[in-house]
Amino acid sequence: MKIIISHDVDHINVTEHIFKDLILEKMFLRSMLGKIMGRISWKTCFRRMSMLFYKRMNRIEEVMMYDHQNKIPSTFFFGMSNGLGMSYSRQTAAEYIVKVVNNGFDVGVHGIEYMSQDKICDEHDAFKEVTGMTLFGVRNHYVRFDDETFYKMNRAGYLFDSTWFNKENIELKNPYKIGDMWEFPLHIMDVYVCEEGGLEDGMEKTYKIIDEADAMGIKYLTILFHDYQFDDVFAPDLKCWYMKTIEYCKRNKYEFISYRDAIKELDVESKLL
Ligand SMILES: [Zn+2]
């Protein structure tokens, strides 16, 4: 079994949220609740309550450094549209995309639209224009999809998608093709498997999924970590969850692979069949 790591870039700067969405307000409320329920420390609570004094919200540089040190060829998904608390501009995304590509990591679209064929094509084409790339992948924000979404993504020209996810139960499936597009089901998402204040339980669940996936013959296990949580004060449990998950994969000698290289392997394999 090989491991595919990816990062959804939901936030870039604090300012993009002011008067545009309720992300900061929700964060204030959640951090107060988290403190009252004993899930986060005072330090983390204050850090989140004082978000307005910080400019940067992403931790892309830090994640790239960590992934580089651990030889992880991860993929960063960037939004080309706004919605559901993702509010940065294409221009801001473009600046970070250059940095990520220059550091040798892959990039794809963090999609908003999942119903309208035209809007799905718009996001695809905007990314093509911003990056100059012709073939790339996508994962939808909040992993939203319906029965038609993947067919529409294929028609838009995506190389792969990694949105399919069972929100109710962990469900492990191997990659499959939809037209010319490869669908890589998402298996492990940080915030679904690990709650704040519940790191120990989160690790137990994560290790169990990894072991089960290997035992049942999953070829590529997909893991999503949101970069903005890679911070000792802002989200200590989730940062720790990511590092412990990576350490577990390394201890068990699993190889890390990018979506693109996995597709190369899958294409060779399907030609041999
Ligand atoms: Zn997202």
Side-chain angles (χ1 to χ4, degrees):
M1 184 172 75
K2 295 183 181 178
I3 313 279
I4 301 179
I5 301 288
S6 61
H7 309 291
D8 290 355
V9 180
D10 285 351
H11 315 292
I12 293 187
N13 293 313
V14 173
T15 45
E16 75 214 14
H17 296 295
I18 299 170
F19 301 126
K20 270 186 120 183
D21 59 46
L22 296 171
I23 281 290
L24 300 175
E25 291 83 345
K26 279 183 191 162
M27 191 185 291
F28 298 153
L29 279 174
R30 272 201 212 116
S31 44
M32 291 211 301
L33 265 177
K35 182 68 207 107
I36 290 164
M37 295 174 83
R39 290 187 178 147
I40 58 170
S41 65
W42 274 118
K43 212 170 149 189
T44 297
C45 183
F46 282 133
R47 172 70 175 77
R48 293 185 188 174
M49 300 288 280
S50 58
M51 268 317 273
L52 280 172
F53 298 103
Y54 294 86
K55 182 187 180 287
R56 190 168 65 105
M57 206 163 156
N58 74 81
R59 289 292 176 271
I60 295 171
E61 304 254 5
E62 289 83 348
V63 169
M64 284 198 295
M65 202 179 289
Y66 178 81
D67 286 1
H68 178 75
Q69 281 163 359
N70 289 283
K71 299 188 173 57
I72 302 168
S74 53
T75 300
F76 291 74
F77 292 103
F78 285 90
M80 290 288 108
S81 289
N82 291 163
L84 296 175
M86 185 161 70
S87 296
Y88 52 83
S89 67
R90 281 182 191 171
Q91 172 65 34
T92 309
E95 288 161 23
Y96 273 89
I97 287 171
V98 170
K99 284 185 201 180
V100 171
V101 171
N102 286 346
N103 277 282
F105 294 95
D106 197 12
V107 287
V109 176
H110 199 30
I112 287 286
E113 184 59 39
Y114 70 103
M115 288 191 284
S116 150
Q117 178 74 70
D118 286 349
K119 287 182 185 168
I120 289 173
C121 287
D122 279 352
E123 289 176 26
H124 173 274
D125 296 350
F127 192 82
K128 194 173 170 180
E129 207 175 298
V130 161
T131 59
M133 291 160 75
T134 47
L135 276 176
F136 44 85
V138 58
R139 170 177 304 114
N140 273 357
H141 189 42
Y142 277 74
V143 289
R144 292 194 301 174
F145 64 91
D146 63 21
D147 293 345
E148 297 292 312
T149 306
F150 302 138
Y151 298 99
K152 289 172 183 169
M153 285 171 165
N154 170 53
R155 262 178 249 139
Y158 281 112
L159 173 67
F160 69 89
D161 169 66
S162 194
T163 298
W164 189 93
F165 182 66
N166 187 336
K167 289 182 180 176
E168 312 302 325
N169 288 302
I170 295 294
E171 202 180 326
L172 302 165
K173 292 204 287 190
N174 267 315
Y176 53 96
K177 254 187 147 173
I178 292 177
D180 294 326
M181 183 182 85
W182 279 101
E183 176 62 33
F184 287 81
L186 177 60
H187 302 128
I188 302 178
M189 194 202 299
D190 48 12
V191 290
Y192 268 84
V193 78
C194 184
E195 280 178 24
E196 299 203 288
L199 179 62
E200 213 174 301
D201 186 43
M203 290 328 306
E204 211 173 291
K205 274 193 229 163
T206 306
Y207 299 155
K208 203 172 149 231
I209 300 168
I210 297 173
D211 294 348
E212 266 176 30
D214 197 4
M216 69 180 278
I218 291 294
K219 283 185 192 159
Y220 303 101
L221 183 77
T222 54
I223 302 177
L224 157 60
F225 175 70
H226 292 81
D227 68 281
Y228 75 95
Q229 303 171 121
F230 200 76
D231 185 295
D232 288 326
V233 182
F234 182 82
D237 285 343
L238 270 303
K239 181 185 175 187
C240 200
W241 172 84
Y242 181 56
M243 298 200 303
K244 277 178 178 279
T245 300
I246 296 300
E247 280 158 22
Y248 187 77
C249 293
K250 287 170 72 174
R251 241 191 345 267
N252 285 281
K253 306 264 183 291
Y254 294 122
E255 188 187 316
F256 295 102
I257 190 168
S258 66
Y259 284 106
R260 272 180 208 277
D261 286 342
I263 289 169
K264 281 182 199 155
E265 291 183 353
L266 287 163
D267 283 342
V268 169
E269 227 170 83
S270 55
K271 268 178 207 145
L272 292 175
L273 285 175

